[in-house]
Amino acid sequence: MEVKIPTRAYSGAIRPITLGKGGKAFTVGGETAFPFYTFEGQMPNQPRFGLEVLDLEPSDWPATLLGAYGAVVKDPAAWAKKCVAELGADFVHLTLAGTNPNDQNLPVDHAVKVAKAVAAAVDVPLTVWGCGSAAKDAEVLKAVAEALSDRRLCIGPVVEENYRQVGAAALAYNHVVIASTPIDINLAKQLNVLLGNLGVKEDSILIDPTVGGLGYGLEYTYSVMERCRAAALTQQDDKLQYPMYCHLGVEVWKTKEAKLPGDADSALGDESKRGVLMEAVTAATLLAAGADVLVMRHPEAMRLSRELVKGLATG
Amino acid sequence: MGLTGIQIFQLLPKTNCKECGVPTCLAFAMNLAAGKAELKQCPYVSEAAKQKLAADSAPPIRTVEIGTGKGAFKVGGETVLFRHEKTFVNPAGLAMLLNDDEPEASVAGKLKRFKELSYERVGLTLKGNAVAVRAAKGDKAAFGALVTKVKAETEGGIILMAENPEVMAEGVKACADRKPLLYAATPDNADAMIALAKETKLPLAAKASDLEKLSALTDKLAAAGVQDIVIDPGSREIKKALHDEIHIRELSIQKKFRQLGYPTIVLPFEMTKDPMMETVYASMLLAKYAGIVVLSDFRGHNLFTLLLERLNVYTDPQRPMKTEQKVYEINNPGPGSPVLATSNFSLTYFIVSGEIENSRVPTYLAVLDTEGLSVLTAWAAGKFVGDALGGFIKKSGIADKLKSPTLVLPGAVAIISGDVEEELGSGWKVVVGPKEGAYIPAYLKQNFAQ
Ligand code: SF4
């Protein structure tokens, strides 16, 4: 019996955005169809995977996660190097957790020093990510943008409260901004409009839709991402035609279920596999919704997710 | 519904007798097309017209029920492509594979896990749905014996996996009263499987090597009178499997392609030997349309993870999830513990309670019913305000458990602290906490660590 496969006519495309500089730079985005719908459009650049490095030794990571790195977690530069050289990360995402005013409140100098050390240790694209306090991030990210002006960093989270300062710094030094909004398609669009008005170029924006982890709001992120992609590809919504950056490892590994101990026969199963699967399944779900750049924490979860992408893109 | 008002009008008596409550047959037809009337309101429609209209209004993807009693579950019945359009209807069934050549200890362990692994979450019980018993040996007695055991030991659904009709018949004999799914009719064994399914009125899976052959096969099944069908397009590579799932959903919903308007069954364990990778493939297919996912094993780490994903994917996308209004105890709080206030938007509740847990600081969490709105939105809507919050705290009686009651407000609504103080009276100290969940652990440790 003849089966005629229906195909959509898409009217828009995701902008290709190049991250980093030199031989290890890469491009993400460029899709002309829904995620992995390669029977009706192109997905010229495969989604990319990075590992997260913290500026200070992690205090709340479970042993199953720390064990994947060993002693390097005390030294961000050595840690970043390991992520790339041994674990095969496409890029490194440095989170400046220590600058948080509600926690250690380390100064801008600290941030710049760590960011420079990490940048010197790796030649792959580098994301520098603030602590989430809009005011502090404005200061910190501005200084980092200037100190690493030759790297074409990704910097974020750029939010409505600090987009002027951080956006201007990114513009001045040709970095890519990660525009972060709280799981809302209209806010995502609005922030991109503001960044455009500020003069941030169309080749320098990524959307961070804000990730809810598996069992902790993933459904909201999933639908906002699907809607962003649909608006970008089928309604020519120009302000949403950017690749999506998903900072997911942190969301998975802060949940209690990812951290609880247990063996293969316990109710939540083997602790060495549970967190990894929760992270890899979160990644798979986000990939289905349109993730282009994924920040992960466990190298094994990254390996699994990458294997999935390989199968979907080339199989 | 595909038929237009004019097409429906052609099927009506055209006598304009008004008994249906509208002046003309045409008006009635228009109402039918718009879903504003029901066919039975017209006493004069012919049988032929009834059938035609019923077929047209049948859901694009059939709902198939497997199992009985507590173990029954439905799959299919989906109406949209994307969950933001409308809630997905029947959560994908998760099944655990059991081979009849597995060692006894392995079988015992699997059945134990099938029975015991279940999780409480947001007021729901999450668990696997079925055991898929596979005739790996091709031996009637061995298959029948294992099916008998599964039936005796579990309440869940059963999927009988055998392609030899004689072996299948043995399994059917053992558990027909539990309404198992028969997997599968293929182009080679279809006649015998159809006979078996018709005789027992059991749902039947159809498996072929591509969508064309599958469509021809379901056509044959339907023509023979088998209605409850589950389909397997035979793809065993993840890319093809995903594309087939998408094609099947789009063909049935957008094109009303009846031959593929059935729930699907996927077997990720036939796509990889690595159980971790199998789980990842399963998760992709679960997000994209699989009706039943058969896993090589249920372990806490893979089952729990996929159950969470299923819960997320199948949640109503329109309605914010709400948590029950009450004072929750986290990390075993005592008389010296603070009371944190937040809204009952589930996402907010999950984040805040998770952060409190992370802090390990014993804490009470007072969750105010804000009709599922987040703190700031609820404040703007006049729901997270002094008298509502104060009233709830007073009524909860939590003060009686505390030495020096301290209420911590979310930083985003510092503005209401005066009103809350006024409402609560002098027995309470009201302070303002951090603006974001991520800062809660540091805040609690600094101010309330024991
Ligand atoms: S009851 Fe039937 S025949 Fe009479 S007007 Fe209505 S549709 Fe026409």
Side-chain angles (χ1 to χ4, degrees), chain A residues 1-8 34-40 59-60 100-103 131-134 183 212-220 222-223 226-227 230 251 254-257 259 263-274 276-281 284-285 287-288 300 303-305 307-308 311-315, chain B residues 81-84 88 113 117-119 121 211-213 215-216 219 237-239 242-243 246-247 250-251 254-255 257 259-260 274-277 279-281 283-284 287-289 299-302 304-306 308-313 315 317 319-321 345-347 350-351 353-355 357-358 434-436 438-439 442-443 445-446:
Chain A
M1 170 171 298
E2 199 201 343
V3 177
K4 204 168 164 292
I5 303 296
T7 50
R8 289 175 183 74
F34 288 149
F36 306 104
Y37 282 42
T38 44
F39 53 89
E40 59 188 9
S59 59
D60 60 348
N100 191 338
N102 283 294
D103 203 338
C131 64
S133 153
I183 322 192
L214 185 68
Y216 291 87
L218 179 60
E219 69 272 39
Y220 298 96
Y222 185 78
S223 284
E226 282 203 326
R227 288 175 60 205
E251 298 304 323
K254 77 180 183 198
T255 65
K256 58 174 186 276
E257 291 87 353
K259 294 180 181 179
D263 62 21
D265 288 316
S266 64
L268 288 173
D270 184 340
E271 62 183 301
S272 72
K273 296 180 175 156
R274 186 196 322 123
V276 168
L277 283 178
M278 288 178 71
E279 188 175 17
V281 164
T285 313
L287 283 164
E300 178 61 10
R303 187 191 68 77
L304 292 166
S305 311
E307 182 82 18
L308 171 70
L312 290 171
T314 58
Chain B
L81 304 181
F82 299 102
R83 67 183 290 283
H84 57 257
F88 286 173
R113 289 193 293 277
L117 293 178
S118 112
Y119 310 91
R121 207 176 171 88
L211 295 179
E212 278 86 14
K213 294 193 183 84
S215 303
D219 231 13
E237 281 157 10
I238 186 63
K239 179 177 176 180
L242 175 68
H243 287 179
I246 296 166
H247 296 329
E250 294 189 346
L251 278 163
Q254 296 181 316
K255 304 288 173 195
F257 190 76
Q259 284 79 1
L260 295 176
D274 172 7
M276 300 289 275
M277 205 57 229
T279 308
V280 176
Y281 286 159
S283 72
M284 177 53 76
K288 283 286 176 182
Y289 310 147
R299 293 278 178 179
H301 45 261
N302 70 344
F304 174 69
T305 302
L306 292 173
L308 280 189
E309 187 201 3
R310 181 176 78 176
L311 175 70
N312 284 164
V313 170
T315 301
R319 194 185 43 179
M321 277 167 68
F345 178 40
S346 283
L347 189 47
F350 277 141
I351 291 170
S353 62
E355 296 292 358
E357 267 175 42
N358 279 345
K435 278 191 181 152
E436 278 173 54
Y439 303 153
Y443 173 82
K445 280 187 226 166
Q446 235 166 54

Side-chain angles (χ1 to χ4, degrees), chain B residues 104-424:
Chain B
E104 218 165 291
S106 164
V107 171
K110 278 184 164 180
L111 287 177
K112 182 169 183 286
R113 289 193 293 277
F114 180 79
K115 280 182 286 187
E116 290 176 1
L117 293 178
S118 112
Y119 310 91
E120 299 296 324
R121 207 176 171 88
V122 288
L124 299 169
T125 302
L126 310 181
K127 57 186 301 192
N129 303 93
V131 179
V133 190
R134 183 162 69 170
K137 283 185 182 161
D139 173 59
K140 290 198 320 197
F143 186 58
L146 185 56
V147 173
T148 305
K149 187 177 169 68
V150 169
K151 180 185 158 184
E153 290 191 19
T154 71
E155 287 187 322
I158 299 174
I159 300 173
L160 298 175
M161 303 181 84
E163 291 191 7
N164 178 336
E166 284 177 29
V167 175
M168 179 65 90
E170 204 66 21
V172 170
K173 220 192 313 175
C175 73
D177 57 336
R178 285 278 288 273
K179 204 175 177 194
L181 168 67
L182 313 187
Y183 177 98
T186 65
D188 298 328
N189 70 11
D191 293 326
M193 287 291 186
I194 288 170
L196 202 51
K198 279 197 71 178
E199 183 191 326
T200 51
K201 300 203 171 58
L202 292 176
L204 178 60
K207 176 187 166 189
S209 55
D210 60 41
L211 295 179
E212 278 86 14
K213 294 193 183 84
L214 184 59
S215 303
L217 183 57
T218 59
D219 231 13
K220 182 168 177 173
L221 265 55
V226 178
Q227 293 183 315
D228 288 330
I229 300 172
V230 171
I231 53 178
D232 175 358
S235 22
R236 295 295 183 266
E237 281 157 10
I238 186 63
K239 179 177 176 180
K240 182 132 199 312
L242 175 68
H243 287 179
D244 281 347
E245 287 292 328
I246 296 166
H247 296 329
I248 290 168
R249 177 70 71 95
E250 294 189 346
L251 278 163
S252 43
I253 287 176
Q254 296 181 316
K255 304 288 173 195
K256 301 263 165 190
F257 190 76
R258 291 264 165 239
Q259 284 79 1
L260 295 176
Y262 301 102
T264 62
I265 181 168
V266 297
L267 282 54
F269 65 87
E270 290 193 356
M271 302 179 190
T272 171
K273 290 205 167 4
D274 172 7
M276 300 289 275
M277 205 57 229
E278 177 194 325
T279 308
V280 176
Y281 286 159
S283 72
M284 177 53 76
L285 296 171
L286 203 152
K288 283 286 176 182
Y289 310 147
I292 298 173
V293 181
V294 186
L295 300 166
S296 58
D297 197 356
F298 279 5
R299 293 278 178 179
H301 45 261
N302 70 344
L303 182 65
F304 174 69
T305 302
L306 292 173
L307 286 170
L308 280 189
E309 187 201 3
R310 181 176 78 176
L311 175 70
N312 284 164
V313 170
Y314 282 86
T315 301
D316 177 353
Q318 304 297 331
R319 194 185 43 179
M321 277 167 68
K322 293 182 238 171
T323 306
E324 190 192 338
Q325 163 166 314
K326 70 175 199 189
V327 179
Y328 294 81
E329 302 189 351
I330 305 178
N331 305 329
N332 301 313
S337 302
V339 180
L340 263 61
T342 194
S343 81
N344 81 331
F345 178 40
S346 283
L347 189 47
T348 308
Y349 165 74
F350 277 141
I351 291 170
V352 172
S353 62
E355 296 292 358
I356 295 174
E357 267 175 42
N358 279 345
S359 77
R360 303 208 189 88
V361 178
T363 303
Y364 289 101
L365 178 60
V367 174
L368 177 69
D369 182 1
T370 55
E371 292 167 29
L373 299 177
S374 69
V375 172
L376 208 51
T377 321
W379 170 74
K383 294 182 200 302
F384 201 94
V385 291
D387 45 352
L389 181 59
F392 159 53
I393 298 288
K394 276 201 286 195
K395 242 174 127 183
S396 75
I398 183 69
D400 301 343
K401 296 186 184 169
L402 304 171
K403 243 189 282 163
S404 54
T406 303
L407 182 69
V408 183
L409 296 178
V413 292
I415 191 164
I416 70 169
S417 68
D419 292 350
V420 178
E421 261 167 15
E422 204 169 294
E423 182 73 25
L424 283 174

Side-chain angles (χ1 to χ4, degrees), chain A residues 7 12-13 22 54 87 91 95 104 113-114 158 166 172 179 192 220 224 261 263 266 270 296 308:
Chain A
T7 50
L54 306 189
L87 303 170
F91 69 99
T95 300
Q104 300 218 19
K113 201 174 118 210
V114 175
V158 177
V166 186
N192 290 347
Y220 298 96
V224 162
D263 62 21
S266 64
D270 184 340
M296 320 230 355
L308 171 70

Side-chain angles (χ1 to χ4, degrees), chain B residues 12-26 28-29 41-45:
Chain B
L12 294 177
K14 301 183 196 161
T15 54
N16 301 335
C17 75
K18 303 187 178 56
E19 279 183 47
C20 56
V22 291
T24 63
C25 292
L26 180 61
F28 183 64
Q41 290 171 274
C42 166
Y44 307 108
V45 215

